[in-house]
Every structure is written in C-alpha cells, then in structure tokens.
Amino acid sequence: MSQPLSPPGTDPDFDRFEAAVLAVFSGASPPPLLDELATLPVAQFDTCVLHLEHTQRVEVRFYALQALHGLVAGTNYGLLDEGRKQRARGDLLALGRSGDDDDDEIRAAQMPLFIRNKLAQVIVAIAAAEYPATWPTFFTDVLASLNERQLSIDCFSRILISIHEDIISLEVPRSAAGAKASMTFKDAMRDGPDAALERVARAWLEVLKALLGMIGVGGDRGARVGAGASPA
C-alpha cells in the first residue's frame, strides 16, 4: 500500500487499519498492514494524521500518536515535505485544544490522560527537531492554542513537562549531540526574538489565576488565559 488511507465511508482500508490496531491492543501480532506502513514513512504519516482527525477509538488515536512519535524521533522524519510537517504541527496542537462550544466531559473522554501524555511527547519531539531553526514560532503557536478550558490547560501543562523531561533537564543522560541540541533549545527559549521564556511564564501565571478562580480562591473565573502570550 503506497497511498494514505481515505476517511471512513470512502475506503474500506480505513476500517481495516482500525481493525488492525484493535487487534494489536487485544494481544495479537501486528497485522501485515501495520508492518507495511512502517516501511512507508509518508503513507504512515498521512494515515496516522487521518485517523487522529477522524477516529472515535482512543486505542487508534494512541497508536497513531505512538507511530508519529517514532517517525519524528527516527531518521525518516526528514523524508516528509514541509507541507506535511506544518500540518502535523497545526493538527496536533488543535487536538489538545477545547473550543468554546465543546463539552469538557466529552472532550476529556475523547482525550484520556494517556492520550494527552503521548500527544505532548509528539509535539515536543517535533519541537526538539525543529525549534528554533525551522519552527521558530513553536512557543507562539503553543500559546495561541491555550485558552481557559480544562483540556487546553492540561495539555499546555503536559507540553511544558515534556519539554523539561525530554529536552531541558540536566538529570537526563544525553549524548554530546543531544546536550548540544538541548543547549540550543534553551538558548533560543531564553534569548530568542520571540521572548518565549517570559511569555510562557506570563501565560502560566494567567493559568494559575484562572484555576484559582475556578475553585473560588480569589482571581476571576473569566480571566483570559493566554492573555500573557502577547509580547509586552
């Protein structure tokens, strides 16, 4: 199979992929379809993004995120064109955001904790590969996806935790190349033209105010989370 799968209702392969993933979660060996996709980075990427957009199964969403994480962290990420990379950035950030009309309980069911953790890891893996050189607006984009809804705040927090654990922390053993990449990331975050460190700190303060307001400890329930995202 050299082409990405089509949305449900237009191609039986869409359901075949979901059935293959569910078989893996039931303890079966990976079906040939999944092994074949693993050798076709572009088709694998397209298929995973498609299922992230359309699937109703959390198992399939997790598998797609895990496959994307492996693709980004491996050597085949460079085979993707810039259009696909931009799509991944936008789609993944949107996945962790609740809109004003979304039901928080429904969104929480669609995005359980293990999905949010993996989503944050994938986003940060992309940032590790692309910030600041080819994704200089990483922090601007993350802050733009933040609002006062519970899912958005939770995913924002998990992204920050993943940045610390996967890129910044000095407690994690790294190769010479990894240590250099970590330093480059930290230097750009601290000294870059987007003033990322200051803006993230300001946004986090607004998050804390909003959370305190939600539980009635001072603050303002209507505090506009993300207001600190704009440069001073």
Side-chain angles (χ1 to χ4, degrees):
M1 183 180 66
S2 59
Q3 298 296 321
L5 305 182
S6 300
T10 63
D11 190 329
D13 276 347
F14 185 96
D15 294 333
R16 193 159 64 93
F17 176 83
E18 300 225 336
V21 171
L22 294 176
V24 171
F25 274 85
S26 72
S29 299
L33 172 63
L34 300 183
D35 289 337
E36 184 180 355
L37 274 175
T39 68
L40 302 167
V42 175
Q44 183 185 46
F45 171 86
D46 290 346
T47 299
C48 289
V49 171
L50 179 70
H51 282 266
L52 285 175
E53 294 173 348
H54 293 284
T55 188
Q56 300 299 314
R57 304 298 298 258
V58 293
E59 300 96 334
V60 175
R61 185 169 286 134
F62 181 81
Y63 183 92
L65 287 169
Q66 185 169 295
L68 285 175
H69 188 267
L71 179 61
V72 172
T75 59
N76 288 326
Y77 185 61
L79 299 176
L80 302 180
D81 58 73
E82 184 57 28
R84 283 182 167 86
K85 292 179 180 179
Q86 289 181 0
R87 180 184 179 189
R89 300 166 196 157
D91 286 0
L92 290 169
L93 287 173
L95 189 61
R97 188 182 193 277
S98 286
D100 292 337
D101 297 327
D102 288 336
D103 183 287
D104 285 334
E105 291 187 3
I106 293 176
R107 290 291 285 136
Q110 294 171 337
M111 296 287 292
L113 296 182
F114 67 94
I115 294 288
R116 296 178 222 171
N117 282 333
K118 183 57 67 174
L119 174 64
Q121 291 170 6
V122 177
I123 291 171
V124 171
I126 295 175
E130 298 193 337
Y131 178 80
T134 57
W135 192 6
T137 61
F138 167 62
F139 285 102
T140 297
D141 295 343
V142 169
L143 291 170
S145 72
L146 175 63
N147 60 27
E148 66 173 11
R149 304 302 293 270
Q150 295 176 14
L151 179 65
S152 299
I153 291 174
D154 186 87
C155 287
F156 173 68
S157 303
R158 291 174 195 278
I159 288 172
L160 296 185
I161 291 170
S162 187
I163 289 173
H164 173 73
E165 293 179 346
D166 298 341
I167 300 177
I168 291 177
S169 176
L170 297 176
E171 298 178 0
V172 177
R174 305 184 193 280
S175 64
K180 181 178 180 180
S182 175
M183 186 62 66
T184 298
F185 191 100
K186 287 185 283 190
D187 287 347
M189 187 177 180
R190 182 180 59 247
D191 302 324
D194 58 347
L197 188 60
E198 177 184 350
R199 295 171 67 195
V200 168
R202 192 181 303 138
W204 185 242
L205 178 60
E206 295 299 327
V207 165
L208 293 178
K209 289 179 179 178
L211 291 175
L212 290 174
M214 289 177 187
I215 61 176
V217 183
D220 178 6
R221 172 63 181 85
R224 186 164 62 89
V225 173
S230 300

